[in-house]
Amino acid sequence: MTWKQQKYDKMGKSKSKESPSRKLMHASSSDVQLHIYGVSFSLNRGLLAARSSKLAALLKENHEDDISHLLKDTPTDSETFELVARFCHGFDINLSPENIIKVLCLAHYLGMSEIHSTNNLTKKAGLYFQNNVLSSWNKTLRALKSAEIILQQAVDLSLVDACAESIIAKVLHNPSLLGEPLRNVTTTDDDSENDENAYKPNVKRRLFVHDWKSEDLTLLSIALYEPIIRAMVHREVPLEYVASSLFQYLSKWVFLDTKREDDDPSTCERNSQREIIEAVERLLPQERGLIPSSLLSKMLQSAIILDAHTECKSGLETRIGKQLDQATVKDLLIPAQGYAKEEQYDTESVKRILKNFYSNYASTEKSGLVMVAELVDDFLVEVSSDVDLKLNTFLSLAELSQAATAGTNRNSDGMYRAIDIYLDKHRYLTDWEREEVCRVLDCSKMSPEACDHAAKNEKLPVRVTVQILFSVQLKLKDNVTKRIQRGPDNRLLKLEGDEVDAKGTSNSEEEMMKAEMEKMGNKVLELEKECHMMRREIQRGSYQHKIQKEKTSMWKEMKRKIGCMTSLHETNCHVKKKKVHPR
């Protein structure tokens, strides 16, 4: 209903029988013209002065028909001014959560208080705000949302504080109003559901709780949202619920937009998203493990895309680093940004995350270090297929992993897979560069299956192949030595179906087993001599071509010599091999 260019009598009623919103009349001497945000109003001077002390003073001092130039700073819009004009002319007005704060601000600006006139608009709107708005979660949020266009005036009148206090009090009583706590879903298989499940509201509460919040804090602008969340943290609202609200906010205003590859957001939108992600990073709780690494990684990727401030990106990297032992490879696959990118993934960010983890790791247990080292191995397996991955980058990541797990029995199969893929995708490397790549491989910690594969791997330098064979030979020698030292008393023999324990073993049987062990030891010594000879020949370079040609048969020859020369089942080489070729 519009009240534009309408003439009213002193009783506030239209002189026309037509609808007051439709009947247009020429202005008389008792009318005053006002233009509010492009909309013209023709209003009764006396009725305006009776309700508004400000308008009364202006009309008394200015007898001109149009005083719009004196109201340029009016904190309102045309719709709100129309409501106030209706009230001044004695008509009922419909107050709502969407207009109440704007009405209160305009009424205060115009001086529509009880001092100037009884039952005035300030009192009427104030009672509605107190009794009908602040008591409801939904209405309070909608009222606060409407205040964004006149935020400073609403702050000055403490209307924003009143709404914020109402919201915080309700959250303190029922934190689930912010959403269900985030769930760490890094162990599930369906990654497509992980992000959704990480911040999903409780459906039961939606169905059965009275006044279910159809609105939530994501409705608010960051200028209102940030101080309210800070106040909640100060008032000790459980941090898991605060974190839930933060990521709901990001999912609405940042995450969805940064995914759209076919739609280039405007500069204004990007600036707004950057402001939001920087504010949310400042609000994130510092507690380790409270926020899943997958969500922190998603936030970091968005911050990089939006070119957020360095402090924002560093803060996210630090948070990921503190709980890197809870992360997955996918969390570290951060795409490189910019037209001048040389590598597919942002490995520099991963390096900083690794350094943050090592610098913050305070546990005496090395299990976390081993987990992260294996994570780095898996990460290298994923990124090694990038033809643009630099040698120095590969080595620096591998060395960080190795340095942290020195002295542990961590398996080297993951590192071998990464090296094999890197050499396969970077066949242009020189012999020296291939040697450098293999420098980070600890041959002594490779599984028998990996050693078997490496012995036949033509991409490996000859020196590395010999090292692997020599490592296998040393392990075999060590096992034989332990068996000889342990003696036959640890074995249970079956002779003609009769069980004979170690105590009843005959002297002849002991002599046979010792002789067999000695024979095996001699074979090991023979292989050791051969390996030493090969290493000397390789160093001189005389047999290099021959070894490279025949190295695929070396491992078979060693197994043949060790093979089935003993009746001890424990040294049987004919075991089923597991496939360990890199993914």
Side-chain angles (χ1 to χ4, degrees):
M1 182 180 295
T2 59
W3 289 79
K4 307 171 185 64
Q5 296 183 349
Q6 177 64 48
K7 182 178 179 180
Y8 305 98
D9 63 14
K10 292 183 180 182
M11 298 302 295
K13 298 180 180 180
S14 172
K15 293 183 178 180
S16 172
K17 293 183 180 180
E18 296 183 29
S19 171
S21 62
R22 299 298 180 187
K23 181 65 176 178
L24 301 178
M25 300 183 66
H26 296 290
S28 66
S29 60
S30 62
D31 291 337
V32 61
Q33 304 296 318
L34 295 177
H35 299 276
I36 305 298
Y37 289 96
V39 179
S40 299
F41 295 89
S42 180
L43 306 172
N44 185 278
R45 288 173 175 267
L47 295 179
L48 291 179
R51 288 296 188 181
S52 169
S53 60
K54 184 178 183 68
L55 290 176
L58 290 175
L59 291 171
K60 184 177 180 180
E61 296 172 0
N62 300 273
H63 299 287
E64 53 192 290
D65 293 338
D66 191 345
I67 60 171
S68 300
H69 61 283
L70 301 175
L71 299 174
K72 290 182 178 180
D73 59 343
T74 304
T76 188
D77 51 34
S78 58
E79 290 78 9
T80 304
F81 190 85
E82 183 179 334
L83 285 175
V84 174
R86 285 176 57 88
F87 179 83
C88 291
H89 286 79
F91 287 86
D92 291 333
I93 60 174
N94 294 322
L95 296 175
S96 68
E98 288 76 14
N99 64 33
I100 185 60
I101 290 183
K102 292 184 288 186
V103 168
L104 279 169
C105 288
L106 182 56
H108 178 268
Y109 172 82
L110 295 177
M112 302 177 71
S113 65
E114 294 299 299
I115 297 176
H116 182 71
S117 175
T118 59
N119 297 322
N120 215 339
L121 184 56
T122 300
K123 179 180 179 180
K124 179 182 177 69
L127 289 174
Y128 178 86
F129 179 70
Q130 185 69 35
N131 299 330
N132 295 80
V133 175
L134 296 182
S135 59
S136 167
W137 170 274
N138 288 348
K139 292 178 180 179
T140 302
L141 283 172
R142 291 200 292 269
L144 197 55
K145 172 66 176 176
S146 70
E148 292 176 357
I149 63 174
I150 50 168
L151 185 57
Q152 188 56 54
Q153 290 82 0
V155 169
D156 293 340
L157 294 179
S158 299
L159 298 176
V160 171
D161 288 343
C163 290
E165 182 60 32
S166 173
I167 290 171
I168 295 170
K170 291 177 175 61
V171 170
L172 286 170
H173 178 70
N174 180 16
S176 61
L177 286 168
L178 293 178
E180 296 304 307
L182 302 175
R183 290 189 293 158
N184 198 327
V185 289
T186 56
T187 57
T188 58
D189 295 328
D190 191 353
D191 291 335
S192 63
E193 296 181 358
N194 287 354
D195 295 338
E196 180 182 355
N197 291 338
Y199 33 85
K200 190 174 183 179
N202 190 314
V203 178
K204 293 182 179 178
R205 184 159 53 83
R206 178 183 298 181
L207 295 176
F208 299 108
V209 174
H210 177 66
D211 192 29
W212 159 252
K213 61 178 187 71
S214 58
E215 310 290 355
D216 56 39
L217 293 182
T218 62
L219 185 74
L220 305 177
S221 68
I222 194 65
L224 289 171
Y225 180 81
E226 183 176 4
I228 290 177
I229 292 295
R230 288 194 181 280
M232 287 184 181
V233 174
H234 181 71
R235 299 277 288 275
E236 298 183 351
V237 171
L239 293 180
E240 57 267 30
Y241 292 96
V242 172
S244 174
S245 178
L246 290 172
F247 277 92
Q248 288 182 44
Y249 198 87
L250 287 173
S251 67
K252 179 173 182 178
W253 297 108
V254 178
F255 288 161
L256 292 180
D257 288 335
T258 55
K259 283 183 179 179
R260 297 181 304 180
E261 299 179 355
D262 57 339
D263 186 10
D264 186 18
S266 65
T267 302
C268 181
E269 289 176 326
R270 288 181 61 86
N271 290 341
S272 175
Q273 291 172 353
R274 180 167 56 249
E275 180 185 0
I276 289 172
I277 207 163
E278 291 174 350
V280 171
E281 188 278 326
R282 293 191 295 267
L283 295 170
L284 286 179
Q286 294 288 346
E287 282 71 10
R288 165 185 156 89
L290 183 63
I291 302 169
S293 298
S294 59
L295 293 182
L296 289 174
S297 174
K298 189 175 184 180
M299 190 174 175
L300 176 59
Q301 293 181 46
S302 298
I304 294 173
I305 292 172
L306 296 170
D307 194 22
H309 196 277
T310 302
E311 291 182 0
C312 173
K313 292 181 283 190
S314 297
L316 292 169
E317 289 173 349
T318 300
R319 286 181 170 86
I320 297 173
K322 286 182 178 179
Q323 57 188 55
L324 190 58
D325 53 333
Q326 302 175 5
T328 64
V329 175
K330 183 180 178 181
D331 301 334
L332 298 182
L333 295 177
I334 304 170
Q337 300 296 322
Y339 295 106
K341 63 180 181 181
E342 297 180 353
E343 298 176 354
Q344 184 178 356
Y345 297 103
D346 193 341
T347 52
E348 291 301 317
S349 179
V350 175
K351 289 181 188 177
R352 292 190 293 269
I353 291 172
L354 278 170
K355 291 177 181 178
N356 283 323
F357 172 77
Y358 295 136
S359 62
N360 288 285
Y361 193 78
S363 175
T364 57
E365 297 290 334
K366 289 193 174 182
S367 58
L369 296 175
V370 173
M371 290 178 63
V372 170
E374 292 174 348
L375 176 65
V376 175
D377 288 351
D378 293 339
F379 174 76
L380 287 174
V381 169
E382 292 292 334
V383 302
S384 292
S385 58
D386 179 12
V387 295
D388 295 321
L389 183 66
K390 298 179 181 178
L391 175 61
N392 290 338
T393 300
F394 182 93
L395 292 175
S396 60
L397 287 168
E399 288 168 352
L400 280 173
S401 171
Q402 277 193 334
T405 55
T408 65
N409 294 323
R410 180 172 72 90
N411 187 284
S412 296
D413 287 6
M415 183 62 69
Y416 170 68
R417 287 196 298 271
I419 290 173
D420 182 60
I421 295 174
Y422 189 81
L423 292 177
D424 183 61
K425 297 296 182 180
H426 300 76
R427 293 182 177 269
Y428 55 83
L429 296 177
T430 64
D431 292 341
W432 179 86
E433 289 173 331
R434 290 191 299 129
E435 292 275 357
E436 281 294 293
V437 171
C438 296
R439 177 172 52 83
V440 295
L441 179 63
D442 189 345
C443 302
S444 65
K445 296 180 180 179
M446 292 172 61
S447 67
E449 293 81 12
C451 290
D452 191 11
H453 184 277
K456 306 170 186 176
N457 193 341
E458 297 181 355
K459 296 186 290 293
L460 296 177
V462 177
R463 182 187 64 82
V464 177
T465 303
V466 173
Q467 279 187 338
I468 293 172
L469 294 175
F470 188 68
S471 174
V472 172
Q473 178 261 335
L474 290 178
K475 289 180 182 178
L476 185 56
K477 177 182 177 181
D478 185 60
N479 289 336
V480 171
T481 302
K482 289 180 180 178
R483 290 180 184 279
I484 293 174
Q485 292 175 349
R486 188 170 62 209
D489 290 343
N490 291 337
R491 290 182 50 80
L492 292 178
L493 302 178
K494 287 188 178 181
L495 298 177
E496 296 180 357
D498 295 330
E499 294 186 0
V500 181
D501 58 15
K503 185 176 181 180
T505 303
S506 65
N507 292 332
S508 61
E509 290 172 345
E510 291 181 8
E511 292 176 359
M512 290 175 59
M513 295 180 67
K514 287 182 179 179
E516 199 167 4
M517 287 290 187
E518 186 176 354
K519 188 177 180 181
M520 175 67 77
N522 291 334
K523 288 294 182 183
V524 171
L525 292 175
E526 182 182 343
L527 286 173
E528 184 176 5
K529 292 179 182 179
E530 291 184 9
C531 284
H532 279 298
M533 290 177 61
M534 285 191 294
R535 294 178 69 184
R536 287 199 299 269
E537 294 296 338
I538 289 171
Q539 291 175 357
R540 291 200 302 265
S542 60
Y543 285 169
Q544 183 168 354
H545 177 71
K546 179 180 178 182
I547 290 175
Q548 183 157 357
K549 181 178 180 182
E550 298 179 356
K551 67 177 180 177
T552 56
S553 65
M554 288 181 182
W555 183 241
K556 291 182 179 180
E557 181 65 17
M558 292 183 69
K559 289 199 298 179
R560 184 191 67 76
K561 292 183 177 182
I562 294 299
C564 302
M565 293 179 161
T566 177
S567 60
L568 299 179
H569 297 293
E570 288 81 0
T571 58
N572 184 9
C573 294
H574 297 288
V575 294
K576 186 177 182 181
K577 304 182 184 67
K578 297 180 180 179
K579 187 176 182 181
V580 295
H581 195 275
R583 298 191 295 271

